Each structure stands twice: as C-alpha cells, then as structure tokens.
Amino acid sequence: MQDTRHRVLDAIADGPVSGPALADRLDVSRAAVWKHIEALREAGFSIDGGGDGYELVSTPDFGGEAVAFGLDAPFDVAYHDTIQSTNDRARELAAEGREDVVVLADEQTGGRGRLDREWAAPAGGIWLSILLRPTVPPADAPAFTLAAAVATTRAAREAGVDAAIKWPNDVLVPDGDGDQRKLTGILTEMEGEADRVAWIVVGIGINANVDAADLVADATSLREEGGDVNRRVFTQRVLEEFHDLRSELDAVVPAWRDLADTLGRRVRVDTPGGEIVGEAVDVEFPGTLVVETDDGTVRVNAGDCEHLRPA
Ligand code: BT5
C-alpha cells in the first residue's frame, strides 16, 4: 500500500500522468489510483488534476508521507501529530518485532531525557526515534548515539547553524558569550543479551521551528539560530546521514571528532563512579571519553559532561 503510494508520487512528480496511464504503469485499478491521490491530498500534497492528468505541485513541510517521499534511507516512517514519547512508541514497535522504523512526531506530551529527566517537546519540533536491530554486541551501542549526534550536527550545519557536539550526545550552539545552548538531545535505549543487541532505539530531539521561550533555560532552536527550516528536508538529511553511519560504524568516531566541541577543553564529568575533572583529549570507539587528569589518564564510558572555562 505504502509502496504503491510512493510509486504514485514518483510518477506524478515528473507528471502530468493520466489516471488510466498511472493505473497501467503501477498495475492497479483506476479506483486505487484515485484513492492514493485523495490520501496524498489529505496528507498535504498539492496535486493538480487538470486535463493532462495528475501532477505533483508541492510537498508538505512535514508528516510521514512527506518525509518518506524521496528519503534516501530504508526506513518506514510512523508519524504522529502528537504522542507521549516517540521512544515509548518505538519500544512498543520493537516488542512487535519491527525494525528500521522511524517514529516521528510534531509534538510530544511526555518526552524523556536520560535518567528520566523531562524533555520539552512542543509542536514545531522534530521529535523522532529510530528503531534498529544491528548485529553488534551491547558494548558497541554508544556508537549509535554518537552517530545520531554527527548526523544532526551535519544537518544543522547544512542549514547554516554553527552546531557542535558536546560529549557524548548534546548538539550545542555557541551563544556568543562563551556559553552554549542546547539544540538537540539524544536518548538511546536498548535490549539485548550479553553478546548481542536485540534492538536499539535512538531518540533524537531537535528543537526546530519552536521558540526558545517554550523550551527550558539554556536551550535554543533552529528558529532562533537562523530561522525556520523545512522540517521534511531536515529530517531526511538526519536520517540519511544516520543510515550511512550505522552502515559503517568505524566511520562514526572520526566523524564525531571532526564535529566535537569537547576535545581540548577542560571538563567535569559526573559519572556513576564519581566526578572526573581534566582535559578531554580524545574519544575512542564506541564513544569513550579520554580525560587527562592530575592523577593520570581516565577513560569514561558514561556520564554528564560540563565544559569548564580554561583554568
Ligand atoms: C537528553 O537527555 O538530552 C535526551 C533527550 C532526548 C529527547 C528525544 S525527543 C525524541 C525521543 N523521545 C523521547 O521521549 N525522548 C527522545 P539529557 O542529557 O538527560 O538532558 C535532559 C535535560 O535537557 C533536561 O533536564 C533539561 O535541562 C534539558 N532540556 C529539556 N528539554 C529540552 C529541550 N527541548 N532543549 C534543550 N534542552 C532541554
């Protein structure tokens, strides 16, 4: 069904094509063609239906059909205008055995950060969760979080926003006063056995076309940094970059290094084992931060990182 709809879109994008010709080409009935055209119009596609046949005039700025159309990555898109949390929905889909699905929403009513922190997710954002079943050990899972940060940072830079990554998973924008504001947060959840991941959900929260006043202190948005973006295109770019990286995990850390703002900085990292202060000198696969402290080199796998001003 979805497939035929995409083929209808592809055909009328180069249109105009008559209904009977479309039915012939796609090997479906004329009534089926008409139903797809109506469904696409309802999803916000503007389709001309003049004497020469159907022709795509414009694509909506957001939504499931819109993001799936022309997406150069093999993900199904499950779109919701509003939902509690895209990560929660992706976990349900994982329990149903699905994979390579992106749950996407305009608004979340119960968005979650790490450690059950709240994530503000008003309408106008790009709130998405990617459900994957990679054949990797659980220890490699952090690489997917880093890949999401790289993908989002690249998309933000393409949109003209001066974004960079703070270890491990925040995409930040400098505020001009030496501080940084958070544009994106990433929450990765997974299930698996000792040697093999069953599923991973990578949740990416992008403050897109929203006012910073509707977020939290120290947050920014694409709207604040450079103006509203076409969310369809932005989402597609994030998913395409992410797909390239998850297909070549070894490329993730070098790409992350190039876009990181943490390396070379003095940092304080709150870890489950206590606080670590020193200079962040490197990141190693799958996402380990290497910190030079007064007591020697320390490797950190997880924690909250704060950039400190130079001593
Ligand atoms: C994160 O947690 O940064 C991960 C956020 C992941 C959100 C996505 S949205 C799609 C998917 N579905 C979900 O339910 N979640 C994911 P953490 O590093 O713990 O940061 C959380 C902290 O960021 C909060 O305690 C606030 O201080 C701050 N914060 C909350 N909302 C924010 C926003 N919209 N923009 C910037 N900062 C925010």
Side-chain angles (χ1 to χ4, degrees):
M1 171 82 165
Q2 285 261 342
D3 239 26
T4 312
R5 193 158 300 164
H6 294 156
R7 286 165 61 215
V8 169
L9 270 175
D10 282 340
I12 64 174
D14 303 328
V17 196
S18 73
L22 258 182
D24 250 16
R25 204 191 293 182
L26 305 180
D27 201 17
V28 296
S29 68
R30 287 180 202 185
V33 166
W34 186 79
K35 266 193 197 158
H36 285 300
I37 296 283
E38 283 310 298
L40 287 165
R41 283 180 172 149
E42 240 164 65
F45 289 84
S46 159
I47 297 168
D48 204 18
D52 293 340
Y54 297 114
E55 182 166 19
L56 180 63
V57 178
S58 71
T59 305
D61 276 359
F62 204 46
E65 300 282 4
V67 169
F69 175 52
L71 174 65
D72 191 13
F75 297 119
D76 289 335
V77 182
Y79 174 79
H80 303 262
D81 282 328
T82 182
I83 195 170
Q84 182 171 314
S85 154
T86 55
N87 263 45
D88 291 351
R89 181 64 193 135
R91 294 176 67 115
E92 287 172 11
L93 295 175
E96 291 169 15
R98 300 280 305 274
E99 72 176 305
D100 285 354
V101 184
V102 176
V103 182
L104 177 68
D106 178 42
E107 175 190 52
Q108 291 181 124
T109 53
R112 296 187 284 115
R114 294 179 301 156
L115 306 172
D116 271 329
R117 294 173 188 137
E118 278 179 32
W119 180 259
I126 298 173
W127 321 117
L128 66 86
S129 300
I130 311 171
L131 167 61
L132 314 165
R133 293 182 183 274
T135 46
V136 300
D140 287 358
F144 293 92
T145 302
L146 267 60
V150 168
T152 308
T153 304
R154 283 182 174 162
R157 289 191 181 185
E158 277 175 25
V161 172
D162 182 21
I165 308 170
K166 184 180 78 160
W167 184 87
N169 65 349
D170 287 348
V171 179
L172 306 176
V173 184
D175 70 357
D177 292 329
D179 286 325
Q180 293 150 317
R181 294 179 179 277
K182 183 156 160 174
L183 179 70
T184 289
I186 297 163
L187 171 67
T188 300
E189 300 180 289
M190 69 166 181
E191 196 169 273
E193 292 174 11
D195 58 343
R196 174 106 188 248
V197 163
W199 53 258
I200 294 187
V201 169
V202 183
I204 311 179
I206 303 165
N207 301 327
N209 301 343
V210 295
D211 292 337
D214 294 332
L215 301 171
V216 297
D218 295 330
T220 190
S221 65
L222 295 171
R223 170 178 287 173
E224 302 286 339
E225 298 298 332
D228 281 5
V229 296
N230 181 315
R231 284 186 292 164
R232 170 176 60 87
V233 174
F234 198 96
T235 306
Q236 288 178 335
R237 292 299 301 127
V238 170
L239 295 176
E240 288 163 1
E241 291 285 344
F242 181 84
H243 172 65
D244 286 351
L245 290 162
R246 67 107 175 226
S247 311
E248 203 195 339
L249 273 194
D250 286 346
V252 171
V253 166
W256 190 95
R257 281 194 196 105
D258 278 349
L259 300 172
D261 188 41
T262 299
L263 301 183
R265 282 191 183 257
R266 271 180 65 74
V267 296
R268 178 187 312 130
V269 191
D270 267 331
T271 77
E275 186 177 281
I276 291 157
V277 177
E279 187 189 339
V281 292
D282 198 12
V283 162
E284 296 170 349
F285 188 86
T288 307
L289 187 66
V290 184
V291 186
E292 291 297 346
T293 73
D294 290 345
D295 304 321
T297 306
V298 179
R299 288 182 162 72
V300 193
N301 293 314
D304 276 316
C305 172
E306 189 186 344
H307 289 165
L308 303 175
R309 292 179 189 270

